[in-house]
Amino acid sequence: PRSTLFPYTTLFRSQTTVQVTPLAPDLGVAVTAHPVTAGDPATITLVATDNPAAGPVTGRTTVTVPVPSGYPVTSAGGPGWQCTTRDQVVTCTRDDGLPPGDSFPPVTVTLGVPATASGTVPLSATAQTAGQDTGHQATGSLQVRAMAPKLAISLGDQGTFKAGQAGGSYLITVSAVASAGPVTAPVTVTLPVPAGMTASSATGKGWTCTIAGSGAKVDCMRNDPLGLGGSYSVIQAATSVPVTLSGAV
């Protein structure tokens, strides 16, 4: 039976509004580079990607790359990117959006590599977009193979080459070609003495020389480095000329 005290039931309805904060974007970057030989151009590739568990990119995106000293930037760019270089720092920006989990087109930075470079060159890059509290930094490396050295040798003479006397000497100069790599390994010079003549001595600052084959050959060796375009001290190989020898040799 219905209560006589509360014969009717009244329903009350209420509502509220809550503010949902969207996920912020979380943009990261990867930096890669293929190995190169010293003196050849190097290419750095940067790829900025939004975390699939984050919000979309909706504002300006900036990627920066500090370039190692001594490696000049020859070009920087990528589809949709606007890139500038100042004080060895490449800065690239764009203003289009990016869904979570997607990547922007890569940025390509081309560098000049010094002819004297070798070993591992550390690289880094930072990516940040609007709504992201802090940028994400990534590191990588560029492997540089040393350029092979190239030697040049010149042969001259000094004194008088006269039959029956020992007044003439050969002068040997060894240089490192400036467009090749530096000399870092032992250097050997061999002088075959013209037939009929004999080597009586061979000297040069920093060189260790020996005479073989009863004076028919001079061998000189040294083991110190030589920079690009530099020359070692001259080797002087003194000779004896037999009395029966004449003409050009």
Side-chain angles (χ1 to χ4, degrees):
R2 178 177 294 175
S3 169
T4 56
L5 293 177
F6 303 99
Y8 303 101
T9 301
T10 302
L11 298 177
F12 294 93
R13 180 178 295 172
S14 66
Q15 65 182 22
T16 186
T17 300
V18 295
Q19 187 68 35
V20 178
T21 303
L23 289 173
D26 186 20
L27 193 71
V29 64
V31 52
T32 58
H34 293 293
V36 296
T37 299
D40 292 340
T43 299
I44 301 173
T45 302
L46 311 164
V47 178
T49 303
D50 192 24
N51 190 325
V57 173
T58 58
R60 169 159 291 196
T61 295
T62 302
V63 172
T64 58
V65 189
V67 177
S69 177
Y71 291 73
V73 178
T74 57
S75 67
W81 292 97
Q82 300 295 322
C83 298
T84 59
T85 303
R86 183 177 181 182
D87 297 332
Q88 287 295 101
V89 177
V90 176
T91 302
C92 298
T93 60
R94 64 188 304 140
D95 294 313
D96 50 338
L98 184 70
D102 281 5
S103 300
F104 285 120
V107 174
T108 301
V109 180
T110 304
L111 309 176
V113 180
T116 56
S118 64
T120 301
V121 181
L123 303 172
S124 65
T126 302
Q128 187 168 7
T129 190
Q132 186 175 356
D133 290 338
T134 58
H136 284 307
Q137 187 180 62
T139 58
S141 63
L142 170 65
Q143 298 296 327
V144 180
R145 298 180 293 265
M147 182 186 293
K150 185 176 181 180
L151 292 175
I153 188 168
S154 65
L155 180 63
D157 59 81
Q158 175 181 282
T160 302
F161 289 81
K162 189 174 181 179
Q165 295 187 7
S169 298
Y170 288 103
L171 303 178
I172 305 168
T173 303
V174 179
S175 304
V177 176
S179 59
V183 177
T184 58
V187 174
T188 301
V189 174
T190 298
L191 171 68
V193 179
M197 300 173 60
T198 58
S200 56
S201 66
T203 59
K205 184 178 180 180
W207 293 97
T208 299
C209 297
T210 58
I211 298 173
S214 300
K217 186 178 71 165
V218 173
D219 291 315
C220 296
M221 190 186 75
R222 66 189 304 147
N223 196 20
D224 50 332
L226 182 63
L228 304 183
S231 298
Y232 287 120
S233 59
V234 175
I235 299 171
Q236 182 173 350
T239 61
S240 297
V241 182
V243 294
T244 57
L245 192 64
S246 63
V249 292

